[in-house]
Amino acid sequence: MASTNPFNSILKTLEKPDGGEFGKYYSLPALNDPRIDKLPYSIKILLESAIRNCDEFQVKSKDVEKIIDWENTSPKQVEIPFKPARVLLQDFTGVPAVVDLACMRDAMNKLGGNSNKINPLVPVDLVIDHSVQVDVARSENAVQANMELEFQRNKERFAFLKWGSSAFDNMLVVPPGSGIVHQVNLEYLGRVVFNTNGVLYPDSVVGTDSHTTMIDGLGVAGWGVGGIEAEAAMLGQPMSMVLPGVVGFKLLGKLRDGVTATDLVLTVTQMLRKHGVVGKFVEFYGEGMSELSLADRATIANMSPEYGATMGFFPVDHVTLQYLHLTGRSDETIAMIESYLRANKMFVDYNEPQIEKVYSSYLELKLEEVEPCISGPKRPHDRVPLKEMKADWHACLDNRVGFKGFAIPKESQNKVAEFSFHGTPAELKHGDVVIAAITSCTNTSNPSVMLGAALVAKKACALGLEVKPWIKTSLAPGSGVVTKYLHKSGLQKYLNQLGFHIVGYGCTTCIGNSGDIDESVASAISENDMVAAAVLSGNRNFEGRVHPLTRANYLASPPLVVAYALAGTVDIDFETEPIGTGKDGKQIFFRDIWPSSEEVANVVQSSVLPDMFKATYEAITKGNLMWNELSVPSSSLYAWNPTSTYIHEPPYFKDMTMSPPGPHGVKDAYCLLNFGDSITTDHISPAGSIHKDSPAAKFLLEHGVDRRDFNSYGSRRGNDEIMARGTFANIRIVNKLLKGEVGPKTIHIPTGEKLSVYDVAMKYKTAGQDTIILAGAEYGSGSSRDWAAKGPMLLGVKAVIAKSFERIHRSNLVGMGIIPLCFKSGEDADTLGLTGHERYTIDLPISASEIKPGQDVTMTTDSGKLFTCTVRFDTEVELAYFNHGGILQYVIRNLIGSKQ
């Protein structure tokens, strides 16, 4: 199927300045195509990948031409294959990927192949950035205590990943406690340019976390994907993506004194949300770029999911190279990076005349116009200038319930809730802060805002200000480097004095892991219906996400988090009202504790040093005591524990043979679920806590797991038994078979019984009866989730018939051997008179050669209905997956059949 790369004629040698060579590379200038010079830098990365991987099967010459002709093709929503240079896995989402690799080894072994051939074909970086529940906050030993709790809860999962780190080649596992995945990626894992077997090419990455985009600040193209796409990529399979439009975002001037990178990112987020950038790349350019540190760029790039873009991309320039020096990359590596990118016209040198790039649309921001701000109280793009905050807060109290409203009656807005905090009289008002968190994501990659926060703390301590003891304060750095420079600067002690002790290195308050607030505070809020506030330096503040009892949640820079903690309320005008009273009885104002940009820059210059990065990341290879004490087997095949409720061998390869099963139709299938429009992956995929009355809870109780130890679906993603039971278990799911009743149940058609979706699916499976799903438009929209496709497959679903599919979810269904079919235009289940009580037969050709991408097939029902659907196998590669029963089976058979 594969052939010699037709672009080998442009393979050039990159010489070293002092003799010798760096390696060979596919030269874009050697194509002599004037269209390439005008391409956005981010599109050039897609182009180089397509050229280097062109085999006329998975990636074709016509795909390369589509990308070169981007200006004309991108408005047409054309699809292209993309092979990223590496894959980034996070703890929770990484476990199923490693489970699948382990299963593939077992299957390979049973088929008589060399099981050690099963390894990631592209580099895989797996970071265990365990979610730190902030159980312990205001104490010197918070890190250790929280870490011990994490290991206690997740020991089995950690041990499994530790086994994977030694069992699989091409896989690096970063132990827990090292840092959050995005920051470790930025400071340590990002290659910028790869040199693999003497071939140079740009670093690009897909990751199983939406904030993988932080790496875009380093000039590495990266974004978040679901688990199945990540698995496919690491097994050398192409991802299908729409060739995106690119918004050119021009930056001019420089930030004013005292304005932070967070103020800038909240401004950019609001602008891009308003412009509309969903599914697009955003590429930053202009003379203002030279004024933005790499950390500032990474802060903006991190927020891509909040403004809706696939990427917020910053091309490599001198600022990037300086950051690579700072973070301990070698001089030789940096020389190779610069030489390669210059040779391939992918480096931006602001000392040279700039060739005007063509963009799909344009935006412009003068940096001096950015002003201090925060965002909230319920969405990241609802930006509020700091000077307008008090007025905005009062408007929110007045407004009807919504994104900017709480509908508190006028007579209740000044209510005071009195309570006793550990024997001390205390009181709460609307807008009082009960959680103040400097969180690991977005901002802690940025020394200027972290040290800025520490300077605020120092000034406040000198003046005698304190944070009220019932405010839950926490500091979760994104990596150990932050701890090192906070101590080097001598400023950590002031953060500690105000209660901002380091609680751990992982996802915290931003993802809902704020932990409990004091019982007396919780009671005061609940009993008096107070609108309590949380202020955090994260990127998401949607309702209910931070804490159930904080109805108002604001995103702010780390120094502003400290300022609001000191003020104790968001109901304050920092320009005119004092933050508090100092030790000498004087009123202290915001301006008295706010550092200048020069003060911050001086501390950054003296405190953030290359040796810190080297020392931090050398320690990763040594692990930590708890990680090192985990006992794991040395065998290359995993010893499955049949009683484990965390790690379980899924039945994907049961009865697999060397011969592909070939295409298969569906005969007399029952309808498991009948949906309308806009069923999202949140409806399908197991997520959140495990409900006490659910099939998953029943399974855990039967296996001796106490209810308090259920943990979440996320933590049990490595156990297919749990995840299958949690599929379609969303309490808000609307299934037409239930005739108006909402919830995770369905009807067993033969008997009329109403049971959980899982129980009905098992009745059909036990009886040897296939099932299908009927759906409306945009089936599978929302975040891409692997279990949204794996779960239905385990339930026995053979096909989904919908008006339309979200593109990645459609691809995932194919990858798991489920047939996606679309009703013809103007038709759906309702217009065809389908109730879901029929039995369905799908007449597919039995020969693989007879099926073509996008062909029509005939559907019949036992009620005599006959209609036509389009089979949504969109490429020859997808047909190959289906012929083999799924992507994993395809890879196994190919490896056994190859000489690899």
Side-chain angles (χ1 to χ4, degrees):
M1 289 184 284
S3 65
T4 303
N5 191 322
F7 292 96
N8 279 347
S9 60
I10 62 165
L11 200 54
K12 305 292 182 188
T13 299
L14 185 64
E15 308 285 349
K16 290 184 178 179
D18 55 354
E21 59 182 62
F22 286 115
K24 298 199 179 303
Y25 70 103
Y26 286 90
S27 170
L28 302 186
L31 287 170
N32 292 318
D33 194 318
R35 294 174 295 177
I36 295 174
D37 284 341
K38 291 188 173 183
L39 288 179
Y41 291 96
S42 49
I43 298 298
K44 284 186 179 182
I45 292 175
L46 302 183
L47 174 60
E48 190 282 337
S49 174
I51 288 171
R52 179 168 34 87
N53 291 295
C54 189
D55 61 0
E56 299 298 4
F57 174 61
Q58 292 185 333
V59 182
K60 300 183 177 183
S61 298
K62 66 181 182 182
D63 297 315
V64 173
E65 172 56 27
K66 284 178 190 174
I67 303 172
I68 292 175
D69 199 33
W70 170 84
E71 189 177 351
N72 297 310
T73 54
S74 64
K76 298 174 184 173
Q77 295 285 290
V78 301
E79 292 207 18
I80 60 161
F82 175 58
K83 287 193 170 188
R86 63 187 170 99
V87 173
L88 183 68
L89 300 177
Q90 195 186 22
D91 175 12
F92 281 176
T93 45
V95 169
V98 181
V99 165
D100 289 353
L101 283 173
C103 282
M104 289 172 75
R105 278 206 170 162
D106 287 346
M108 185 84 124
N109 197 44
K110 286 169 187 166
L111 290 170
N114 178 2
S115 60
N116 287 330
K117 279 186 177 180
I118 298 290
N119 281 300
L121 296 179
V122 303
V124 173
D125 301 320
L126 194 157
V127 180
I128 307 180
D129 64 343
H130 58 306
S131 299
V132 178
Q133 185 81 12
V134 186
D135 297 284
V136 183
R138 286 190 166 204
S139 82
E140 292 288 357
N141 67 344
V143 174
Q144 184 65 18
N146 284 316
M147 190 82 162
E148 284 171 4
L149 283 166
E150 283 301 304
F151 265 82
Q152 187 182 316
R153 291 169 177 149
N154 302 298
K155 185 176 181 179
E156 188 179 345
R157 201 169 77 245
F158 292 168
F160 174 66
L161 292 175
K162 186 177 180 183
W163 166 80
S165 69
S166 58
F168 296 105
D169 297 333
N170 229 9
M171 179 184 286
L172 170 69
V173 175
V174 177
S178 305
I180 192 168
V181 59
H182 330 302
Q183 192 158 345
V184 173
N185 193 24
L186 186 77
E187 295 175 353
Y188 178 62
L189 299 172
R191 277 69 152 187
V192 187
V193 172
F194 266 89
N195 185 345
T196 302
N197 300 322
V199 177
L200 308 174
Y201 52 96
D203 187 4
S204 57
V205 60
V206 292
T208 53
D209 184 276
S210 57
H211 291 108
T212 300
T213 53
M214 184 183 258
I215 199 68
D216 303 336
L218 196 67
V220 174
W223 58 87
V225 295
I228 291 175
E229 301 99 287
E231 284 187 41
M234 75 188 199
L235 293 169
Q237 301 305 300
M239 290 171 40
S240 177
M241 63 180 287
V242 172
L243 186 59
V246 183
V247 178
F249 198 122
K250 191 173 190 177
L251 297 171
L252 301 165
K254 66 180 295 186
L255 294 173
R256 287 183 287 136
D257 187 48
V259 176
T260 68
T262 317
D263 301 324
L264 170 59
V265 77
L266 295 177
T267 304
V268 167
T269 298
Q270 185 184 44
M271 287 175 69
L272 288 169
R273 272 297 241 205
K274 186 177 178 183
H275 186 74
V277 293
V278 173
K280 296 184 173 72
F281 289 175
V282 177
E283 187 165 294
F284 293 88
Y285 70 107
E287 62 262 33
M289 290 278 282
S290 59
E291 296 293 334
L292 285 188
S293 72
L294 197 292
D296 290 350
R297 299 174 183 192
T299 308
I300 295 170
N302 179 288
M303 288 284 274
S304 294
E306 282 66 50
Y307 44 81
T310 303
M311 280 205 304
F313 187 74
F314 291 81
V316 176
D317 59 14
H318 287 105
V319 173
T320 321
L321 300 181
Q322 287 164 8
Y323 183 80
L324 294 173
H325 278 292
L326 173 68
T327 50
R329 273 76 162 195
S330 72
D331 290 344
E332 186 176 354
T333 297
I334 297 167
M336 179 268 288
I337 290 169
E338 183 176 1
S339 297
Y340 168 78
L341 294 174
R342 283 186 182 276
N344 235 355
K345 296 196 174 177
M346 300 168 90
F347 185 86
V348 184
D349 190 334
Y350 292 104
N351 296 319
E352 298 174 356
Q354 300 296 301
I355 296 175
E356 195 68 30
K357 303 293 176 189
V358 173
Y359 294 110
S360 309
S361 60
Y362 297 82
L363 281 173
E364 183 176 297
L365 174 64
K366 295 182 175 69
L367 294 176
E368 61 269 20
E369 293 178 358
V370 176
E371 57 184 326
C373 56
I374 64 176
S375 275
K378 302 180 186 184
R379 296 189 301 185
H381 51 283
D382 289 334
R383 188 180 67 88
V384 186
L386 207 56
K387 63 189 180 189
E388 298 172 16
M389 181 56 197
K390 189 178 178 75
D392 191 83
W393 170 252
H394 284 276
C396 287
L397 289 177
D398 290 333
N399 293 344
R400 62 187 178 84
V401 173
F403 292 126
K404 294 289 289 186
F406 298 104
I408 303 298
K410 282 282 187 194
E411 63 274 14
S412 302
Q413 289 182 10
N414 294 318
K415 185 199 293 188
V416 177
E418 296 181 344
F419 66 102
S420 174
F421 181 77
H422 296 223
T424 305
E427 59 181 40
L428 274 182
K429 299 176 184 173
H430 291 300
D432 277 5
V433 175
V434 295
I435 292 174
I438 300 173
T439 63
S440 56
C441 205
T442 314
N443 283 284
T444 59
S445 65
N446 197 325
S448 65
V449 290
M450 296 303 292
L451 289 165
L455 284 170
V456 169
K458 180 182 180 181
K459 290 171 183 279
C461 290
L463 292 167
L465 293 179
E466 295 178 346
V467 174
K468 293 183 178 71
W470 56 82
I471 298 176
K472 188 163 191 178
T473 46
S474 61
L475 165 59
S479 85
V481 176
V482 182
T483 305
K484 284 184 171 63
Y485 65 63
L486 283 172
H487 283 295
K488 165 76 174 167
S489 66
L491 297 173
Q492 178 66 54
K493 61 185 177 187
Y494 302 110
L495 287 165
N496 290 349
Q497 198 172 320
L498 296 183
F500 287 93
H501 293 90
I502 293 174
V503 295
Y505 304 91
C507 294
T508 56
T509 309
C510 204
I511 200 173
N513 287 333
S514 49
D516 293 332
I517 52 179
D518 190 87
E519 202 173 304
S520 63
V521 180
S523 299
I525 295 169
S526 302
E527 291 166 11
N528 296 280
D529 195 28
M530 305 305 291
V531 183
V535 184
L536 62 151
S537 70
N539 44 34
R540 291 186 180 168
N541 56 336
F542 302 113
E543 280 188 279
R545 185 179 176 99
V546 174
H547 192 284
L549 293 178
T550 59
R551 278 193 273 168
N553 301 285
Y554 286 93
L555 304 183
S557 66
L560 275 177
V561 170
V562 178
Y564 273 108
L566 289 162
T569 180
V570 297
D571 184 9
I572 184 172
D573 180 347
F574 279 145
E575 288 193 7
T576 61
E577 296 179 83
I579 276 183
T581 305
K583 55 190 173 189
D584 58 2
K586 280 187 182 175
Q587 289 186 330
I588 308 298
F589 288 83
F590 179 79
R591 57 184 171 270
D592 299 324
I593 61 170
W594 198 254
S596 68
S597 298
E598 186 181 4
E599 284 178 90
V600 174
N602 288 339
V603 178
V604 171
Q605 185 72 28
S606 61
S607 305
V608 184
L609 306 171
D611 285 350
M612 295 176 177
F613 292 89
K614 286 178 183 171
T616 298
Y617 290 109
E618 279 169 5
I620 282 178
T621 56
K622 298 173 186 170
N624 56 59
L625 187 62
M626 284 181 277
W627 173 259
N628 294 340
E629 285 179 349
L630 286 175
S631 176
V632 297
S634 58
S635 60
S636 64
L637 294 177
Y638 187 70
W640 303 98
N641 176 1
T643 64
S644 170
T645 56
Y646 276 100
I647 307 295
H648 183 260
E649 181 181 13
Y652 303 147
F653 309 111
K654 193 178 177 186
D655 304 325
M656 181 180 167
T657 63
M658 263 307 291
S659 300
H664 57 85
V666 176
K667 188 168 177 60
D668 291 332
Y670 283 101
C671 177
L672 180 64
L673 294 150
N674 183 2
F675 291 131
D677 295 342
S678 301
I679 290 296
T680 70
T681 50
D682 282 344
H683 291 115
I684 307 167
S685 188
S689 59
I690 297 172
H691 193 272
K692 62 183 176 63
D693 299 322
S694 66
K698 183 182 175 188
F699 175 86
L700 289 169
L701 289 170
E702 287 171 353
H703 283 74
V705 178
D706 193 273
R707 186 162 288 162
R708 67 177 180 220
D709 296 322
F710 277 4
N711 220 325
S712 64
Y713 281 113
S715 68
R716 295 185 183 273
R717 290 174 71 103
N719 189 315
D720 60 286
E721 297 274 17
I722 305 289
M723 300 305 277
R725 285 166 171 78
T727 302
F728 297 114
N730 188 300
I731 58 172
R732 292 184 179 82
I733 209 161
V734 178
N735 170 17
K736 293 179 186 178
L737 293 177
L738 294 180
K739 301 191 182 307
E741 186 181 335
V742 178
K745 295 194 174 182
T746 195
I747 302 296
H748 181 247
I749 304 296
T751 62
E753 289 177 278
K754 182 172 71 175
L755 302 165
S756 74
V757 176
Y758 174 80
D759 288 339
V760 170
M762 290 307 104
K763 273 182 169 285
Y764 287 131
K765 272 190 106 170
T766 302
Q769 295 161 336
D770 289 345
T771 55
I772 59 108
I773 289 171
L774 292 174
E778 298 176 342
Y779 182 78
S781 56
S783 300
S784 176
R785 296 171 190 260
D786 53 340
W787 280 104
K790 287 179 175 177
M793 184 274 286
L794 292 170
L795 294 181
V797 173
K798 301 300 181 188
V800 178
I801 313 168
K803 283 175 74 175
S804 62
F805 291 91
E806 192 281 330
R807 50 178 301 279
I808 293 176
H809 183 63
R810 181 205 61 77
S811 175
N812 286 347
L813 290 174
V814 175
M816 295 315 296
I818 296 174
I819 308 168
L821 300 116
C822 278
F823 292 107
K824 301 303 281 185
S825 180
E827 295 183 346
D828 59 22
D830 292 339
T831 63
L832 291 167
L834 304 173
T835 65
H837 287 261
E838 309 85 355
R839 298 186 75 172
Y840 294 79
T841 295
I842 303 167
D843 187 19
L844 267 185
I846 56 170
S847 166
S849 61
E850 292 180 47
I851 306 180
K852 303 296 178 204
Q855 79 174 59
D856 287 348
V857 295
T858 302
M859 309 279 298
T860 56
T861 69
D862 63 338
S863 62
K865 292 258 191 322
L866 186 145
F867 56 100
T868 303
C869 285
T870 302
V871 183
R872 289 296 309 279
F873 302 130
D874 290 359
T875 65
E876 291 171 25
V877 176
E878 289 187 345
L879 278 172
Y881 295 161
F882 182 62
N883 188 45
H884 281 263
I887 189 171
L888 303 179
Q889 293 85 345
Y890 168 83
V891 170
I892 288 174
R893 292 191 183 101
N894 267 11
L895 285 175
I896 291 178
S898 73
K899 295 174 183 175
Q900 180 182 316

